[in-house]
């Protein structure tokens, strides 16, 4: 039934937009269907640091559940009999859980969506029981629940990036009093997430997007507050103009990301650093982003330097290192000298895009 519902939501995108880039992005944003996004577009998203937006992230689930909770609370408070039977806040919390569960199931139940669903459940249960749950405790309970439900989840890079990003936001916002300007808070969060996830991105992908803050500053509000709601609305209402507007905005977003990716030094790409340097860099991030009052916070940069500056091991001049890679049905041979690298990929290619060597 869930897959049938996902198919019913995806059909309008295919019917109205055919096989365009906009159709693939809208299907990914609405129901987590990512197969229509091309490999070239994924590389663009990685280069600009907006890959997290092309999956059903916690931001999208929070948006849907929060909107439903607000609508239920708004209507509930205008019916006195309902308020006497159940407070509006509790009714809104129950509606938020139901909306988050429905959207998470429709989106394929990925780890970021699971995390947000469980956090919404924790907050709703706390509200129903009259308790106050700190953000850190809610995140820890959600993490434990995700691992209990799927013990293999920590093997996915998205697990660490998802929980790490939220933990960084809580860490940076711990000392805020509410007097700071919203734009300043938004800038600090962007800085914290970009800097804090850089060591993990190096370890997992061997590259860090330097244009990520600029790209995300435009992409996050556009995708979360405009394109995604339009995609969901267009899947429900029989109005082709809504989907066409959402697809037009998605195309403009792609053009903006291509301009960001074309900037010089858009990506810092280097060897995958050793684990000890990544742990040292994470300690440096915690020191650098610590609340005000901690002395010598800028010294955290020194702890981050080894992960970003250690040279890759290379054979001495006159020698060569040969590595044979098992890529399934075939072999790949990597030959490295002091100044060059040659990769010979003899694996099979697949229909459409991709080959065994690239996937491995």
């Amino acid at each position: 039934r869930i897959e049938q519902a996902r198919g019913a939501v995806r059909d309008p995108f295919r019917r109205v937009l055919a096989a365009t880039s906009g159709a693939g992005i809208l299907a990914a944003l609405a129901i987590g269907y990512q197969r229509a996004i091309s490999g070239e577009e994924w590389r663009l998203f990685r280069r600009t640091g907006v890959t997290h937006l092309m999956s059903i992230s916690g931001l999208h689930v929070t948006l849907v559940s929060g909107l439903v909770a607000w609508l239920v609370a708004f209507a509930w408070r205008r019916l006195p009999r309902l308020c006497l039977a159940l407070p509006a806040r509790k009714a809104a919390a129950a509606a938020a859980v139901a909306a988050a569960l429905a959207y998470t199931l429709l989106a394929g139940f990925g780890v970021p969506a699971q995390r947000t669903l469980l956090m919404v459940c924790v907050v709703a249960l706390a509200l129903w029981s009259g308790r106050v749950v700190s953000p850190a405790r809610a995140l820890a309970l959600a993490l434990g629940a995700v691992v209990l439900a799927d013990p293999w989840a920590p093997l996915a890079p998205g697990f660490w990036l998802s929980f790490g990003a939220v933990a960084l936001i809580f860490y940076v916002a711990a000392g805020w009093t509410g007097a700071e300007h919203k734009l300043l808070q938004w800038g600090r969060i962007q800085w914290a997430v970009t800097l804090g996830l850089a060591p993990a991105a190096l370890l997992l992908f061997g590259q860090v997007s330097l244009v990520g803050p600029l790209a995300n500053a435009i992409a996050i509000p556009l995708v979360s507050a405009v394109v995604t709601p339009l995609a969901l609305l267009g899947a429900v209402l029989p109005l082709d103009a809504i989907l066409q507007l959402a697809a037009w905005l998605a195309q403009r977003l792609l053009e903006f990301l291509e301009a960001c990716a074309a900037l010089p030094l858009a990506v810092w790409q280097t060897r995958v650093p050793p684990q000890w340097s990544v742990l040292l860099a994470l300690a440096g991030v915690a020191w650098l982003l610590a609340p005000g009052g901690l002395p010598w916070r800028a010294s955290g940069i020194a702890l981050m330097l080894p992960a970003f500056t250690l040279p890759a091991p290379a054979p001495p001049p006159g020698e060569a290192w040969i590595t044979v890679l098992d890529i399934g049905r075939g072999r790949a041979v990597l030959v490295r000298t002091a100044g060059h690298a040659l990769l010979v990929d003899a694996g099979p290619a697949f229909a459409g895009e991709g080959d065994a060597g690239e996937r491995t």
Side-chain angles (χ1 to χ4, degrees):
R1 292 293 181 265
I2 293 173
E3 292 302 321
Q4 288 176 351
R6 297 186 72 196
V9 173
R10 189 176 70 247
D11 286 343
F13 300 124
R14 289 179 171 177
R15 177 179 55 82
V16 177
L17 305 175
T20 60
S21 298
I25 293 176
L26 295 185
L29 293 175
I31 59 172
Y33 184 80
Q34 301 176 347
R35 297 180 183 176
I37 298 180
S38 67
E40 182 178 351
E41 289 170 346
W42 279 121
R43 284 187 286 272
L44 175 64
F45 298 151
R46 285 195 297 269
R47 187 171 177 84
T48 52
V50 300
T51 306
H52 61 100
L53 290 176
M54 295 304 126
S55 60
I56 304 298
S57 67
L59 195 61
H60 301 148
V61 178
T62 304
L63 178 71
V64 172
S65 62
L67 179 61
V68 171
W70 180 82
L71 291 174
V72 169
F74 179 82
W76 204 272
R77 291 190 179 98
R78 278 146 184 80
L79 298 173
R81 291 184 178 179
L82 292 179
C83 289
L84 291 174
L86 184 68
R89 289 184 65 189
K90 290 188 176 182
V97 171
L101 175 61
Y103 190 39
T104 302
L105 290 174
L106 190 65
F109 217 69
V111 169
Q114 288 181 42
R115 180 208 70 213
T116 308
L117 168 63
L118 293 169
M119 290 186 70
V120 171
C121 291
V122 168
V123 174
L125 287 173
L127 193 149
W128 270 72
S129 61
R131 298 185 179 185
V132 178
V133 177
S134 66
R137 185 175 179 84
L139 182 65
L141 290 172
L143 186 147
V146 168
V147 174
L148 283 175
D150 183 9
W152 299 102
L155 296 180
F159 174 88
W160 299 101
L161 297 177
S162 175
F163 279 98
V166 178
L168 282 168
I169 292 173
F170 289 163
Y171 181 66
V172 173
W176 289 354
T177 60
E180 296 89 350
H181 193 276
K182 296 297 182 182
L183 189 60
L184 181 61
Q185 292 180 352
W186 175 256
R188 288 181 176 175
I189 287 177
Q190 284 292 318
W191 162 253
V193 172
T194 302
L195 183 68
L197 294 182
L202 273 184
L203 179 64
L204 296 171
F205 309 118
Q207 65 180 27
V208 176
S209 174
L210 299 182
V211 297
L214 172 63
N216 279 282
I218 301 298
I220 288 179
L222 178 62
V223 170
S224 301
V226 182
V227 178
T228 300
L230 284 175
L232 293 171
L233 196 62
V236 175
L237 299 179
L239 296 175
D240 296 350
I242 297 177
L243 288 180
Q244 291 170 351
L245 174 60
W248 183 84
L249 291 173
Q251 189 61 41
R252 301 290 81 75
L253 175 63
L254 284 176
E255 294 174 359
F256 168 72
L257 295 178
E258 288 172 354
C260 290
L263 293 174
L265 297 178
V267 175
W268 174 277
Q269 189 163 348
T270 182
R271 58 167 292 194
V272 175
Q275 293 185 0
W276 66 265
S277 66
V278 174
L279 295 176
L280 200 64
L282 292 176
V285 166
W287 192 358
L288 188 62
L289 299 179
L294 189 69
W296 299 97
R297 285 186 298 170
S299 300
I301 298 177
L303 298 179
M304 299 178 64
L305 287 178
F308 290 86
T309 59
L310 283 177
E319 295 185 8
W321 291 352
I322 298 177
T323 306
V324 180
L325 307 174
D326 181 3
I327 57 173
R329 294 171 53 197
R331 293 289 182 270
V333 179
L334 175 63
V335 182
R336 286 180 290 177
T337 64
H340 298 84
L342 172 67
L343 177 66
V344 181
D345 175 17
F350 304 104
E353 296 188 15
D355 54 70
E358 182 181 12
R359 294 188 178 189
T360 305

